[in-house]
Amino acid sequence: SQQGEEDPQALSIQEGENATMNCSYKTSINNLQWYRQNSGRGLVHLILIRSNEREKHSGRLRVTLDTSKKSSSLLITASRAADTASYFCAGNAGGTSYGKLTFGQGTILTVHP
Amino acid sequence: DAGVTQSPTHLIKTRGQQVTLRCSPKSGHDTVSWYQQALGQGPQFIFQYYEEEERQRGNFPDRFSGHQFPNYSSELNVNALLLGDSALYLCASSFPGTGGVVRELFFGEGSRLTVL
């Protein structure tokens, strides 16, 4: 079963608007990562936030993490049509979990030109 | 710098058959993980290979097996295929990390398996 749950499942916006996606997870994590996937192709790593961090920025991306609520959010500012994709959060528990990432079900983002 | 490469990209099998999928990791990476992604779902962890051994396994039956070669490339084998095995199979490579922590996975484009 999936550990993470993304909200919303689908998001449709106009170019230039901001897109916010939320993720909740169930077990303790060492870090939480966000990935992007274009139309059933491979996933691309976007950003990683450690459990002792609360906010992180990378270009137009801003990620927050609230470990007390077991939740994270991804904000894409000034969206572009090229941002249209599925976005997944994935938790890494560390320890004996080694390379296992537990993915959520994803948010499908559509950005209209 | 070659990224993660997977083959074949698409294949069709019938129930009961066996399939082998192949993966070459990104240059410099020695750890390979396999994920199954059903349509409309997030990827699910199958297993990870490091130093030619299975280091961690997800909740998949023994019909799913793998191998890692000395050059770090890897194979995923699925026996006795079921209709429910139809999915996109993703290979990801990484550095092994310390203390079980994985920092970033580099994914291939996947092998799409259809079981009829």
Side-chain angles (χ1 to χ4, degrees):
Chain A
S1 63
Q2 308 282 48
Q3 173 177 239
E5 296 291 335
E6 272 101 340
D7 171 53
Q9 291 186 342
L11 180 61
S12 181
I13 59 175
Q14 297 294 128
E15 258 190 338
E17 294 181 339
N18 295 341
T20 299
M21 290 160 267
N22 303 297
C23 165
S24 60
Y25 56 93
K26 297 178 183 176
T27 61
S28 296
I29 56 168
N30 177 281
N31 65 66
L32 188 129
Q33 304 177 31
W34 286 87
Y35 286 81
R36 166 194 168 128
Q37 183 178 40
N38 285 358
S39 190
R41 301 186 65 183
L43 281 78
V44 175
H45 181 266
L46 294 176
I47 195 167
L48 178 153
I49 187 166
R50 294 180 175 81
S51 60
N52 61 355
E53 297 176 313
R54 292 296 169 258
E55 186 172 313
K56 199 163 185 179
H57 296 256
S58 176
R60 294 184 296 114
L61 306 179
R62 171 180 170 256
V63 168
T64 62
L65 180 65
D66 187 333
T67 53
S68 66
K69 295 181 180 178
K70 292 187 168 60
S71 67
S72 174
S73 68
L74 171 67
L75 168 68
I76 304 175
T77 61
S79 63
R80 306 165 182 169
D83 295 328
T84 295
S86 294
Y87 291 82
F88 296 91
C89 67
N92 173 229
T96 58
S97 69
Y98 290 105
K100 178 181 178 180
L101 285 183
T102 304
F103 285 83
Q105 293 192 334
T107 293
I108 301 172
L109 173 65
T110 304
V111 182
H112 300 280
Chain B
D1 179 18
V4 179
T5 58
Q6 292 187 242
S7 64
T9 54
H10 296 82
L11 69 167
I12 300 173
K13 294 285 187 178
T14 57
R15 281 177 296 175
Q17 285 190 313
Q18 179 262 347
V19 68
T20 297
L21 308 178
R22 296 175 176 83
C23 172
S24 292
K26 180 179 169 64
S27 178
H29 287 178
D30 55 8
T31 303
V32 174
S33 303
W34 287 91
Y35 287 79
Q36 180 196 64
Q37 185 178 24
L39 197 62
Q41 302 293 315
Q44 287 204 312
F45 178 78
I46 303 175
F47 41 52
Q48 183 190 71
Y49 277 84
Y50 172 65
E51 292 188 341
E52 302 180 49
E53 290 192 358
E54 182 183 292
R55 185 163 69 168
Q56 177 78 357
R57 188 178 183 91
N59 188 25
F60 279 80
D62 292 344
R63 298 187 298 109
F64 289 77
S65 63
H67 189 77
Q68 185 178 35
F69 300 93
N71 66 352
Y72 308 127
S73 66
S74 177
E75 288 182 350
L76 165 65
N77 301 291
V78 187
N79 295 323
L81 285 168
L82 304 173
L83 295 179
D85 295 332
S86 294
L88 181 67
Y89 288 85
L90 294 161
C91 171
S93 72
S94 61
F95 295 107
T98 57
V101 175
V102 60
R103 303 196 183 285
E104 175 182 357
L105 295 184
F106 291 80
F107 283 85
E109 292 297 311
S111 294
R112 183 163 296 282
L113 171 65
T114 302
V115 182
L116 302 177

Short mmCIF file of all heavy atoms in Angstrom, two decimals, chain A residues 2 30-31 33 35 37 40-43 45 48 50 88 92 95-96 98-99 101 103-105, chain B residues 35 37 41-45 48 55-56 88 90 99-105 107-109 112:
data_model
loop_
_atom_site.label_atom_id
_atom_site.label_comp_id
_atom_site.label_asym_id
_atom_site.label_seq_id
_atom_site.Cartn_x
_atom_site.Cartn_y
_atom_site.Cartn_z
N GLN A 2 0.39 2.33 -0.51
CA GLN A 2 1.14 3.54 -0.59
C GLN A 2 1.22 4.19 0.78
O GLN A 2 0.26 4.23 1.52
CB GLN A 2 0.47 4.51 -1.56
CG GLN A 2 0.18 3.91 -2.93
CD GLN A 2 1.42 3.85 -3.80
OE1 GLN A 2 2.47 3.40 -3.38
NE2 GLN A 2 1.30 4.29 -5.03
N ASN A 30 13.34 9.93 7.16
CA ASN A 30 14.63 10.61 7.22
C ASN A 30 14.62 11.81 6.30
O ASN A 30 15.17 12.86 6.61
CB ASN A 30 15.75 9.65 6.86
CG ASN A 30 17.11 10.32 6.84
OD1 ASN A 30 17.45 11.01 5.88
ND2 ASN A 30 17.88 10.13 7.91
N ASN A 31 14.03 11.61 5.11
CA ASN A 31 13.86 12.71 4.18
C ASN A 31 12.63 12.46 3.32
O ASN A 31 12.12 11.34 3.24
CB ASN A 31 15.10 12.90 3.30
CG ASN A 31 15.38 11.73 2.37
OD1 ASN A 31 14.59 11.46 1.45
ND2 ASN A 31 16.49 11.04 2.58
N GLN A 33 11.08 13.38 -0.60
CA GLN A 33 11.51 13.84 -1.92
C GLN A 33 10.30 14.03 -2.82
O GLN A 33 9.27 13.40 -2.63
CB GLN A 33 12.45 12.79 -2.54
CG GLN A 33 13.65 12.48 -1.65
CD GLN A 33 14.54 11.41 -2.24
OE1 GLN A 33 14.65 11.25 -3.45
NE2 GLN A 33 15.21 10.65 -1.37
N TYR A 35 9.17 14.09 -6.94
CA TYR A 35 9.56 13.68 -8.28
C TYR A 35 8.47 14.12 -9.25
O TYR A 35 7.29 14.27 -8.90
CB TYR A 35 9.70 12.16 -8.37
CG TYR A 35 10.95 11.62 -7.69
CD1 TYR A 35 10.98 11.43 -6.31
CD2 TYR A 35 12.09 11.32 -8.42
CE1 TYR A 35 12.11 10.94 -5.68
CE2 TYR A 35 13.23 10.84 -7.81
CZ TYR A 35 13.23 10.65 -6.43
OH TYR A 35 14.36 10.17 -5.82
N GLN A 37 6.87 13.25 -13.24
CA GLN A 37 6.79 12.23 -14.28
C GLN A 37 5.95 12.76 -15.43
O GLN A 37 4.79 13.12 -15.23
CB GLN A 37 6.20 10.94 -13.74
CG GLN A 37 6.17 9.80 -14.77
CD GLN A 37 5.60 8.52 -14.18
OE1 GLN A 37 4.65 8.54 -13.41
NE2 GLN A 37 6.20 7.37 -14.54
N GLY A 40 3.76 8.96 -18.16
CA GLY A 40 4.14 7.56 -18.08
C GLY A 40 5.57 7.26 -18.41
O GLY A 40 5.92 6.12 -18.71
N ARG A 41 6.42 8.24 -18.36
CA ARG A 41 7.84 8.02 -18.61
C ARG A 41 8.57 7.92 -17.28
O ARG A 41 7.97 7.74 -16.23
CB ARG A 41 8.39 9.15 -19.48
CG ARG A 41 7.67 9.25 -20.82
CD ARG A 41 8.32 10.28 -21.71
NE ARG A 41 9.67 9.89 -22.09
CZ ARG A 41 10.49 10.67 -22.82
NH1 ARG A 41 10.07 11.85 -23.21
NH2 ARG A 41 11.69 10.27 -23.13
N GLY A 42 9.89 8.02 -17.30
CA GLY A 42 10.66 7.92 -16.08
C GLY A 42 10.44 9.11 -15.16
O GLY A 42 10.00 10.17 -15.58
N LEU A 43 10.74 8.92 -13.89
CA LEU A 43 10.59 9.98 -12.91
C LEU A 43 11.87 10.81 -12.84
O LEU A 43 12.98 10.28 -12.99
CB LEU A 43 10.29 9.40 -11.53
CG LEU A 43 8.85 8.97 -11.29
CD1 LEU A 43 8.56 7.63 -11.94
CD2 LEU A 43 8.56 8.90 -9.80
N HIS A 45 13.91 13.54 -10.36
CA HIS A 45 14.01 14.09 -9.01
C HIS A 45 13.95 15.62 -9.07
O HIS A 45 14.63 16.25 -9.88
CB HIS A 45 15.32 13.64 -8.39
CG HIS A 45 15.52 14.12 -6.99
ND1 HIS A 45 16.20 15.28 -6.70
CD2 HIS A 45 15.13 13.61 -5.81
CE1 HIS A 45 16.22 15.44 -5.39
NE2 HIS A 45 15.58 14.44 -4.82
N LEU A 48 14.73 17.51 -2.47
CA LEU A 48 14.76 16.66 -1.26
C LEU A 48 14.77 17.57 -0.06
O LEU A 48 15.50 18.56 -0.03
CB LEU A 48 16.00 15.78 -1.29
CG LEU A 48 16.28 14.84 -0.10
CD1 LEU A 48 17.09 13.64 -0.58
CD2 LEU A 48 16.99 15.54 1.04
N ARG A 50 15.12 17.31 4.20
CA ARG A 50 15.44 16.41 5.31
C ARG A 50 14.45 16.62 6.45
O ARG A 50 13.82 17.68 6.57
CB ARG A 50 16.87 16.65 5.77
CG ARG A 50 17.91 16.28 4.74
CD ARG A 50 19.33 16.53 5.23
NE ARG A 50 20.32 16.06 4.28
CZ ARG A 50 20.70 16.71 3.19
NH1 ARG A 50 20.15 17.87 2.90
NH2 ARG A 50 21.61 16.21 2.39
N PHE A 88 4.93 13.41 -7.66
CA PHE A 88 4.86 12.42 -6.59
C PHE A 88 5.76 12.82 -5.43
O PHE A 88 6.89 13.28 -5.63
CB PHE A 88 5.35 11.05 -7.09
CG PHE A 88 4.50 10.44 -8.16
CD1 PHE A 88 4.77 10.67 -9.50
CD2 PHE A 88 3.45 9.60 -7.84
CE1 PHE A 88 3.99 10.09 -10.49
CE2 PHE A 88 2.66 9.02 -8.81
CZ PHE A 88 2.93 9.27 -10.14
N ASN A 92 11.64 8.49 2.50
CA ASN A 92 12.71 7.54 2.79
C ASN A 92 12.86 7.47 4.31
O ASN A 92 13.14 8.47 4.95
CB ASN A 92 14.01 7.99 2.15
CG ASN A 92 15.19 7.13 2.56
OD1 ASN A 92 16.24 7.63 2.96
ND2 ASN A 92 15.03 5.83 2.46
N GLY A 95 17.64 4.12 7.95
CA GLY A 95 17.82 2.89 8.72
C GLY A 95 17.88 1.69 7.83
O GLY A 95 18.53 1.68 6.79
N THR A 96 17.16 0.65 8.19
CA THR A 96 17.20 -0.59 7.42
C THR A 96 16.37 -0.53 6.16
O THR A 96 16.27 -1.51 5.44
CB THR A 96 16.72 -1.77 8.28
OG1 THR A 96 15.39 -1.48 8.74
CG2 THR A 96 17.63 -1.99 9.48
N TYR A 98 17.09 1.18 3.65
CA TYR A 98 18.04 1.34 2.57
C TYR A 98 17.45 2.18 1.45
O TYR A 98 17.04 3.28 1.67
CB TYR A 98 18.52 -0.03 2.08
CG TYR A 98 19.40 -0.71 3.09
CD1 TYR A 98 18.92 -1.75 3.86
CD2 TYR A 98 20.69 -0.26 3.30
CE1 TYR A 98 19.72 -2.35 4.81
CE2 TYR A 98 21.49 -0.85 4.26
CZ TYR A 98 21.00 -1.89 5.01
OH TYR A 98 21.78 -2.47 5.96
N GLY A 99 17.43 1.65 0.24
CA GLY A 99 17.05 2.46 -0.90
C GLY A 99 15.57 2.54 -1.15
O GLY A 99 15.14 3.01 -2.20
N LEU A 101 12.11 3.93 -1.36
CA LEU A 101 11.28 5.12 -1.30
C LEU A 101 9.83 4.67 -1.36
O LEU A 101 9.48 3.81 -2.17
CB LEU A 101 11.58 6.06 -2.47
CG LEU A 101 12.87 6.87 -2.43
CD1 LEU A 101 12.95 7.78 -3.64
CD2 LEU A 101 12.99 7.66 -1.15
N PHE A 103 6.27 5.88 -2.33
CA PHE A 103 5.64 6.93 -3.12
C PHE A 103 4.16 7.07 -2.80
O PHE A 103 3.48 6.09 -2.47
CB PHE A 103 5.78 6.64 -4.62
CG PHE A 103 7.15 6.88 -5.17
CD1 PHE A 103 8.15 5.93 -5.04
CD2 PHE A 103 7.44 8.07 -5.81
CE1 PHE A 103 9.41 6.16 -5.55
CE2 PHE A 103 8.69 8.31 -6.33
CZ PHE A 103 9.69 7.36 -6.20
N GLY A 104 3.66 8.31 -2.97
CA GLY A 104 2.24 8.54 -2.95
C GLY A 104 1.64 8.25 -4.31
O GLY A 104 2.35 7.82 -5.24
N GLN A 105 0.35 8.50 -4.46
CA GLN A 105 -0.34 8.19 -5.71
C GLN A 105 -0.22 9.30 -6.73
O GLN A 105 -0.58 9.12 -7.89
CB GLN A 105 -1.81 7.88 -5.43
CG GLN A 105 -1.98 6.58 -4.65
CD GLN A 105 -3.41 6.12 -4.62
OE1 GLN A 105 -4.33 6.92 -4.73
NE2 GLN A 105 -3.61 4.81 -4.47
N TYR B 35 11.15 -0.68 -9.40
CA TYR B 35 9.83 -0.26 -8.97
C TYR B 35 8.81 -0.71 -10.01
O TYR B 35 9.09 -0.75 -11.20
CB TYR B 35 9.75 1.25 -8.82
CG TYR B 35 10.47 1.80 -7.61
CD1 TYR B 35 11.85 1.96 -7.62
CD2 TYR B 35 9.77 2.14 -6.45
CE1 TYR B 35 12.52 2.45 -6.51
CE2 TYR B 35 10.43 2.63 -5.33
CZ TYR B 35 11.80 2.77 -5.38
OH TYR B 35 12.46 3.26 -4.26
N GLN B 37 5.03 0.31 -11.44
CA GLN B 37 4.04 1.37 -11.43
C GLN B 37 2.83 0.96 -12.26
O GLN B 37 2.90 0.91 -13.49
CB GLN B 37 4.62 2.68 -11.96
CG GLN B 37 3.65 3.85 -11.85
CD GLN B 37 4.24 5.15 -12.34
OE1 GLN B 37 5.15 5.17 -13.15
NE2 GLN B 37 3.72 6.27 -11.84
N GLN B 41 -1.16 4.91 -10.67
CA GLN B 41 -0.65 4.76 -9.31
C GLN B 41 0.78 5.28 -9.20
O GLN B 41 1.44 5.53 -10.20
CB GLN B 41 -0.68 3.28 -8.91
CG GLN B 41 -2.04 2.62 -8.99
CD GLN B 41 -2.99 3.18 -7.97
OE1 GLN B 41 -2.63 3.36 -6.80
NE2 GLN B 41 -4.21 3.47 -8.38
N GLY B 42 1.25 5.41 -7.98
CA GLY B 42 2.64 5.74 -7.76
C GLY B 42 3.49 4.48 -7.83
O GLY B 42 2.98 3.37 -7.71
N PRO B 43 4.78 4.64 -8.05
CA PRO B 43 5.66 3.47 -8.10
C PRO B 43 5.69 2.73 -6.77
O PRO B 43 5.62 3.35 -5.71
CB PRO B 43 7.03 4.08 -8.41
CG PRO B 43 6.74 5.42 -9.00
CD PRO B 43 5.50 5.89 -8.33
N GLN B 44 5.80 1.40 -6.85
CA GLN B 44 5.94 0.57 -5.65
C GLN B 44 7.27 -0.15 -5.69
O GLN B 44 7.63 -0.75 -6.71
CB GLN B 44 4.79 -0.42 -5.57
CG GLN B 44 3.47 0.22 -5.20
CD GLN B 44 2.51 -0.77 -4.57
OE1 GLN B 44 2.33 -1.87 -5.10
NE2 GLN B 44 1.91 -0.42 -3.46
N PHE B 45 7.97 -0.13 -4.59
CA PHE B 45 9.31 -0.70 -4.46
C PHE B 45 9.26 -2.21 -4.56
O PHE B 45 8.51 -2.86 -3.81
CB PHE B 45 9.90 -0.26 -3.13
CG PHE B 45 11.26 -0.81 -2.82
CD1 PHE B 45 12.39 -0.26 -3.40
CD2 PHE B 45 11.41 -1.86 -1.93
CE1 PHE B 45 13.65 -0.75 -3.10
CE2 PHE B 45 12.66 -2.35 -1.61
CZ PHE B 45 13.79 -1.80 -2.20
N GLN B 48 16.00 -3.85 -4.07
CA GLN B 48 17.22 -3.10 -4.35
C GLN B 48 18.40 -4.06 -4.34
O GLN B 48 18.48 -4.95 -3.49
CB GLN B 48 17.46 -2.01 -3.32
CG GLN B 48 18.69 -1.15 -3.64
CD GLN B 48 19.07 -0.22 -2.51
OE1 GLN B 48 19.54 -0.65 -1.47
NE2 GLN B 48 18.84 1.06 -2.73
N ARG B 55 19.39 -6.34 -1.23
CA ARG B 55 19.60 -5.74 0.09
C ARG B 55 18.28 -5.45 0.79
O ARG B 55 18.21 -5.42 2.01
CB ARG B 55 20.43 -4.47 -0.05
CG ARG B 55 20.80 -3.84 1.27
CD ARG B 55 21.93 -2.86 1.16
NE ARG B 55 21.59 -1.66 0.43
CZ ARG B 55 22.36 -0.57 0.39
NH1 ARG B 55 23.50 -0.55 1.06
NH2 ARG B 55 22.00 0.47 -0.31
N GLN B 56 17.27 -5.18 0.00
CA GLN B 56 15.97 -4.82 0.58
C GLN B 56 14.91 -5.26 -0.40
O GLN B 56 15.11 -5.17 -1.62
CB GLN B 56 15.90 -3.30 0.81
CG GLN B 56 14.58 -2.78 1.34
CD GLN B 56 14.40 -3.04 2.83
OE1 GLN B 56 15.23 -3.65 3.47
NE2 GLN B 56 13.29 -2.58 3.35
N LEU B 88 4.24 -0.46 -15.70
CA LEU B 88 5.52 0.13 -16.11
C LEU B 88 6.55 -0.25 -15.05
O LEU B 88 6.34 0.00 -13.86
CB LEU B 88 5.39 1.66 -16.19
CG LEU B 88 6.63 2.44 -16.63
CD1 LEU B 88 6.97 2.14 -18.08
CD2 LEU B 88 6.41 3.93 -16.42
N LEU B 90 10.13 0.30 -13.57
CA LEU B 90 11.13 1.36 -13.53
C LEU B 90 12.37 0.89 -12.79
O LEU B 90 12.28 0.28 -11.72
CB LEU B 90 10.56 2.59 -12.83
CG LEU B 90 9.41 3.28 -13.55
CD1 LEU B 90 8.63 4.17 -12.59
CD2 LEU B 90 9.91 4.10 -14.73
N GLY B 99 23.71 4.59 6.33
CA GLY B 99 22.63 4.46 7.30
C GLY B 99 21.27 4.24 6.66
O GLY B 99 20.24 4.56 7.24
N GLY B 100 21.29 3.67 5.46
CA GLY B 100 20.02 3.37 4.82
C GLY B 100 19.36 4.56 4.16
O GLY B 100 18.27 4.45 3.61
N VAL B 101 20.00 5.71 4.19
CA VAL B 101 19.39 6.90 3.64
C VAL B 101 19.65 6.97 2.14
O VAL B 101 20.77 6.78 1.69
CB VAL B 101 19.96 8.17 4.31
CG1 VAL B 101 19.41 9.42 3.65
CG2 VAL B 101 19.65 8.15 5.80
N VAL B 102 18.62 7.22 1.38
CA VAL B 102 18.79 7.44 -0.05
C VAL B 102 18.53 8.91 -0.32
O VAL B 102 17.56 9.49 0.16
CB VAL B 102 17.85 6.55 -0.88
CG1 VAL B 102 16.39 6.80 -0.55
CG2 VAL B 102 18.07 6.76 -2.36
N ARG B 103 19.43 9.54 -1.08
CA ARG B 103 19.32 10.97 -1.31
C ARG B 103 18.56 11.30 -2.59
O ARG B 103 17.78 12.22 -2.62
CB ARG B 103 20.72 11.58 -1.36
CG ARG B 103 21.50 11.29 -0.09
CD ARG B 103 22.71 12.19 0.05
NE ARG B 103 23.48 11.85 1.25
CZ ARG B 103 23.10 12.16 2.48
NH1 ARG B 103 21.99 12.79 2.68
NH2 ARG B 103 23.86 11.83 3.50
N GLU B 104 18.80 10.59 -3.61
CA GLU B 104 18.17 10.91 -4.89
C GLU B 104 18.24 9.68 -5.76
O GLU B 104 19.29 9.03 -5.83
CB GLU B 104 18.90 12.07 -5.55
CG GLU B 104 18.41 12.42 -6.94
CD GLU B 104 19.21 13.54 -7.58
OE1 GLU B 104 20.11 14.08 -6.91
OE2 GLU B 104 18.93 13.87 -8.74
N LEU B 105 17.16 9.36 -6.42
CA LEU B 105 17.15 8.26 -7.37
C LEU B 105 17.12 8.81 -8.79
O LEU B 105 16.42 9.78 -9.08
CB LEU B 105 15.93 7.36 -7.16
CG LEU B 105 15.85 6.60 -5.84
CD1 LEU B 105 14.62 5.68 -5.85
CD2 LEU B 105 17.10 5.80 -5.58
N PHE B 107 16.04 7.69 -12.44
CA PHE B 107 15.20 6.68 -13.05
C PHE B 107 15.46 6.54 -14.55
O PHE B 107 15.77 7.53 -15.24
CB PHE B 107 13.72 7.02 -12.87
CG PHE B 107 13.18 6.73 -11.50
CD1 PHE B 107 13.32 7.65 -10.48
CD2 PHE B 107 12.54 5.53 -11.25
CE1 PHE B 107 12.83 7.38 -9.22
CE2 PHE B 107 12.05 5.25 -9.98
CZ PHE B 107 12.19 6.17 -8.96
N GLY B 108 15.29 5.31 -15.04
CA GLY B 108 15.23 5.09 -16.47
C GLY B 108 13.84 5.40 -16.98
O GLY B 108 12.94 5.76 -16.21
N GLU B 109 13.64 5.23 -18.30
CA GLU B 109 12.35 5.54 -18.91
C GLU B 109 11.34 4.42 -18.72
O GLU B 109 10.17 4.60 -18.99
CB GLU B 109 12.53 5.81 -20.41
CG GLU B 109 13.28 7.10 -20.70
CD GLU B 109 12.55 8.33 -20.21
OE1 GLU B 109 11.35 8.46 -20.49
OE2 GLU B 109 13.18 9.17 -19.53
N ARG B 112 7.50 -1.04 -20.36
CA ARG B 112 6.05 -1.22 -20.20
C ARG B 112 5.69 -2.63 -20.59
O ARG B 112 5.83 -3.03 -21.75
CB ARG B 112 5.27 -0.21 -21.04
CG ARG B 112 3.76 -0.34 -20.81
CD ARG B 112 2.98 0.86 -21.30
NE ARG B 112 3.32 2.09 -20.60
CZ ARG B 112 2.89 2.42 -19.39
NH1 ARG B 112 2.10 1.59 -18.72
NH2 ARG B 112 3.22 3.58 -18.86
#
